[in-house]
Amino acid sequence: MKPLPPVMPGSLPREQRVAAIRDALEAVLSPVALEITDDSHRHAGHAGARDGRGHFSVDIVSEIFAGKSPVARHRAIYAALGGLMETDIHALSIRARTPAEAGVGS
């Protein structure tokens, strides 16, 4: 069995990361729908994952994205995640839509 990668100083235990991402996004972006997937297992041995940070996918639907470009939506997500991007998240796949785009709440 391979040893686990080291955990960066200030990072959360792996089992708490999805909840921390959820809390950060909900607090700032008030999503009407939010799915977070930990894809770290699919990147075992990846050079960028050696420091212990994880790979995640986020599918988020929020009214806050209305009128914003895809780049602005991603920036809002990165800002909401703050320090988690430095301590716990190595890679983040993002799908950010408005409720109208997602067909939610119509």
Side-chain angles (χ1 to χ4, degrees):
M1 182 175 194
K2 287 173 84 174
L4 291 174
V7 175
M8 291 184 63
S11 67
L12 295 168
R14 285 171 182 78
E15 65 274 3
Q16 294 178 14
R17 290 178 178 169
V18 169
I21 293 168
R22 179 176 305 285
D23 290 347
L25 295 175
E26 287 178 344
V28 177
L29 302 175
S30 304
V32 296
L34 176 59
E35 290 183 32
I36 303 163
T37 305
D38 184 345
D39 297 319
S40 300
H41 65 282
R42 294 173 33 198
H43 300 275
H46 178 264
R50 288 191 186 130
D51 64 5
R53 295 182 296 156
H55 292 68
F56 300 89
S57 298
V58 171
D59 187 347
I60 182 169
V61 178
S62 175
E63 192 58 50
I64 288 173
F65 299 139
K68 291 189 176 12
S69 70
V71 170
R73 294 174 186 196
H74 286 216
R75 285 182 180 152
I77 291 166
Y78 291 133
L81 293 173
L84 290 170
M85 291 300 303
E86 296 176 17
T87 58
D88 295 283
I89 302 169
H90 169 73
L92 186 64
S93 173
I94 299 172
R95 183 176 186 196
R97 300 171 290 160
T98 65
E101 291 167 343
V104 176
S106 311

